[in-house]
Amino acid sequence: MDCIVGIDLGGTNIAGAAADIEGNVLTEAVVSTPAGGHEVVLMAIDRLVRELAGDRELKALALGVPGIHNLKEGLCLAWDNLNWTNVPVVAYFRQRYEDIPVYMDNDARVAARGEQRFGAARNCRDFIYVTVGTGIGGGIFTGGKLITGSCGGGGEIGHMVLLPEGLPCTCGGRGCLETLAAAPALAREGRLEALKDPFSLLHELAATEGVITAEMVSEAYDRGDIAAAIAFKRCAGWLGIGLAGLINIFNPDRVIIGGGLSLAGDKLLAAVKAQVARHAMREQGRHVKIILSPLRNKAGLYGALALAMSG
Amino acid sequence: MDCIVGIDLGGTNIAGAAADIEGNVLTEAVVSTPAGGHEVVLMAIDRLVRELAGDRELKALALGVPGIHNLKEGLCLAWDNLNWTNVPVVAYFRQRYEDIPVYMDNDARVAARGEQRFGAARNCRDFIYVTVGTGIGGGIFTGGKLITGSCGGGGEIGHMVLLPEGLPCTCGGRGCLETLAAAPALAREGRLEALKDPFSLLHELAATEGVITAEMVSEAYDRGDIAAAIAFKRCAGWLGIGLAGLINIFNPDRVIIGGGLSLAGDKLLAAVKAQVARHAMREQGRHVKIILSPLRNKAGLYGALALAMSG
């Protein structure tokens, strides 16, 4: 039997799935991303691919990889999190699987493909997929085509500038959407509000746990804490403001929010929609549907399968 | 002899050109946009088209029209400046020129086509055209395709939100790029700086002329006035900040700045580039070229010819 394999590479885990050539998933597996240089990581992926394929004949392989890539050469130019520079990902696997096509793309763009093929954007030509977790990434389809940019950097939604004199960003800039609305921002704003209100649940949790995380802020908000609500609405509001600008520029049918923070659910949607209502243009705002990713943390994995099927 | 005609409709003037079917311009003309309802304006365009075509056989007609349009139906949904609502532009001309194709698109997107065919974006698949005048509009090509959006609103660069609690915008939102960097913003910031510095040239000009315009601020800056320089750099800086975000998202080869404010020339470019250097991501920033439109106020007119040739 023939199969294809998709890989979703992350800083913490490597997720993989094998599917038949129609995209029906046969098996899935997750392993930890090993510490060490890129060789060790690529070897771990190779082992996972062989395990997933098993006795089946591998017909195509696709990988979603964080960072910015030269797509023509299949080269990861830079992935800051794991200190990758100019890693020849595609060449590595082409050597090992000689007669099959090997694809690689940015992880967020791959997740957008997942939504298009298997998720909330089926039959949708114009949509924005935004993933909100440790960072903010994006995959944008316009007129049925994914924006990759002239040198593979297209879709970096997290680095639209919203507060020019704001906090420094990992990208080297300042006040990017990512510094205002990703999980570390939510944790930071949560700490700030906890300090301001020593009678808040968030302050109590901080004292008990010795730390405040994004998840704790979301949970305290669910339990009715006002300090947590303020922090949460501020970050989700910034996300809504950023998305409103994108809705004006792209005029999409749908905006799909994925990533760890999307697990916050309806309260995230409500805060985002409130800002979109304030800032989106009439026709664009009326037209767009803003929803949570139905694929959740599987968007990248299923997107890799979609990419493997794209040849 | 066969010809095509392109029309660039504006709130003040209607510009038109006839060209042969290879796009070589034969004749150009400009008339004032008449006051009155849309019928009067469409009639004026009709007269201009007949005059431009003359004895030649008209083979295609294309119009660049401000506002947001239903492109499938050839309907101008809304053009606030002239109070147009649901004007059937294409149907009007289809009735009058029965056997030829009639095209319409948003004026800024049409100008982007002009740059692609005749200007600074020849052979360029990924570029952003931004026009800065009374408002800010845009036309964005990605992977060789123009972004129109799912209901014709794609490219509204002027309405990305940069200052959420900023001044109200004509679009109904707040703090859009347009409120910070278009010509009225430059005039407003000029007035502000003139008030702050009663010894400035700008203050003197304001006293003499009884008004401060964007052109006056630009001119006073050229003559070395510091108040004018502060106002100009603030507005051009916001433009640079907005463009930096777009450069991160689209990863274009080129950004082309057109419209009335582009006549400010090198000092505009310098202020824009300074902010792009601060805020664009490494690869995207290194890759992009930011230039002034070589077609200047003809981009829309030549773009209409390009659109007429697109069929």
Side-chain angles (χ1 to χ4, degrees), chain A residues 68 77-78 80 125-126 140 142-165 171-176 238 241-242 244-253 275 278-284 287, chain B residues 68 77-78 80 125-126 140 142-165 171-176 238 241-242 244-253 275 278-284 287:
Chain A
I68 180 162
L77 297 174
D80 293 341
R125 293 171 59 79
D126 295 270
I140 303 167
T142 171
K145 275 189 62 179
L146 183 61
I147 294 182
T148 54
S150 69
C151 62
E156 289 288 3
I157 291 174
H159 301 281
M160 63 191 299
V161 188
L162 288 181
L163 206 61
E165 304 306 323
C171 76
R174 273 186 177 275
C176 297
W238 277 113
I241 288 163
L246 295 174
I247 288 165
N248 291 343
I249 294 169
F250 289 103
N251 180 205
D253 291 315
Q275 293 305 317
R278 283 186 73 205
H279 289 291
M281 296 172 81
R282 201 173 38 207
E283 294 294 333
Q284 283 91 327
H287 188 80
Chain B
I68 181 162
L77 297 174
D80 294 340
R125 292 172 57 78
D126 295 89
I140 303 167
T142 172
K145 275 191 63 180
L146 183 61
I147 294 183
T148 54
S150 69
C151 62
E156 289 288 4
I157 292 174
H159 301 280
M160 63 191 296
V161 187
L162 288 181
L163 207 59
E165 303 306 324
C171 77
R174 274 185 177 273
C176 298
W238 276 114
I241 288 163
L246 295 175
I247 288 165
N248 291 343
I249 294 168
F250 288 103
N251 181 207
D253 291 315
Q275 294 305 317
R278 283 185 74 205
H279 289 291
M281 296 172 82
R282 199 171 43 206
E283 295 293 333
Q284 281 93 325
H287 187 80

Side-chain angles (χ1 to χ4, degrees), chain A residues 12-296:
Chain A
T12 311
N13 289 317
I14 309 170
D20 64 26
I21 48 170
E22 262 97 52
N24 301 302
V25 175
L26 304 167
T27 176
E28 294 186 21
V30 179
V31 299
S32 295
T33 308
H38 65 264
E39 293 89 353
V40 187
V41 176
L42 294 176
M43 276 171 58
I45 295 174
D46 187 27
R47 268 196 307 275
L48 182 60
V49 172
R50 290 179 198 277
E51 189 190 306
L52 287 163
D55 295 337
R56 293 174 282 258
E57 190 168 348
L58 186 62
K59 289 292 183 185
L61 171 63
L63 305 103
V65 178
I68 180 162
H69 312 313
N70 178 327
L71 298 177
K72 260 184 217 142
E73 315 271 331
L75 205 64
C76 171
L77 297 174
W79 176 19
D80 293 341
N81 195 356
L82 290 207
N83 277 318
W84 282 23
T85 314
N86 297 321
V87 175
V89 177
V90 169
Y92 179 93
F93 290 102
R94 283 247 167 86
Q95 271 181 14
R96 273 154 194 80
Y97 304 91
E98 282 191 350
D99 298 324
I100 66 159
V102 177
Y103 306 96
M104 173 185 72
D105 200 352
N106 168 277
D107 56 342
R109 287 198 299 253
V110 167
R113 288 177 188 271
E115 294 293 344
Q116 194 203 33
R117 180 113 201 175
F118 300 106
R122 272 173 280 194
N123 308 316
C124 188
R125 293 171 59 79
D126 295 270
F127 71 95
I128 297 172
Y129 172 80
V130 54
T131 168
V132 189
T134 312
I136 293 183
I140 303 167
F141 276 82
T142 171
K145 275 189 62 179
L146 183 61
I147 294 182
T148 54
S150 69
C151 62
E156 289 288 3
I157 291 174
H159 301 281
M160 63 191 299
V161 188
L162 288 181
L163 206 61
E165 304 306 323
L167 293 171
C169 181
T170 54
C171 76
R174 273 186 177 275
C176 297
L177 175 58
E178 189 167 298
T179 66
L180 296 161
L186 181 54
R188 183 192 68 223
E189 298 301 311
R191 278 190 294 274
L192 192 73
E193 294 306 320
L195 281 172
K196 279 199 218 164
D197 181 358
F199 304 103
S200 62
L201 173 60
L202 209 49
H203 192 276
E204 198 184 311
L205 289 171
T208 318
E209 306 280 331
V211 68
I212 290 187
T213 64
E215 291 74 19
M216 282 164 68
V217 179
S218 175
E219 202 196 308
Y221 181 12
D222 286 339
R223 288 168 61 188
D225 186 49
I226 291 176
I230 292 171
F232 189 94
K233 285 185 184 175
R234 187 179 300 141
C235 291
W238 277 113
L239 179 62
I241 288 163
L243 290 175
L246 295 174
I247 288 165
N248 291 343
I249 294 169
F250 289 103
N251 180 205
D253 291 315
R254 273 165 233 172
V255 172
I256 303 163
I257 306 175
L261 230 64
S262 71
L263 305 180
D266 288 341
K267 64 183 185 291
L268 178 71
L269 266 192
V272 164
K273 285 182 180 174
Q275 293 305 317
V276 170
R278 283 186 73 205
H279 289 291
M281 296 172 81
R282 201 173 38 207
E283 294 294 333
Q284 283 91 327
R286 199 183 284 164
H287 188 80
V288 71
K289 282 208 178 71
I290 304 173
I291 50 180
L292 299 171
S293 163
L295 300 181
R296 302 167 69 120

Side-chain angles (χ1 to χ4, degrees), chain B residues 27-58:
Chain B
T27 177
E28 294 186 20
V30 178
V31 297
S32 294
T33 307
H38 65 266
E39 293 89 353
V40 187
V41 175
L42 294 177
M43 275 172 59
I45 295 175
D46 188 25
R47 271 196 305 278
L48 182 60
V49 171
R50 289 179 198 280
E51 188 191 307
L52 287 164
D55 295 337
R56 292 175 284 258
E57 190 168 348
L58 186 63

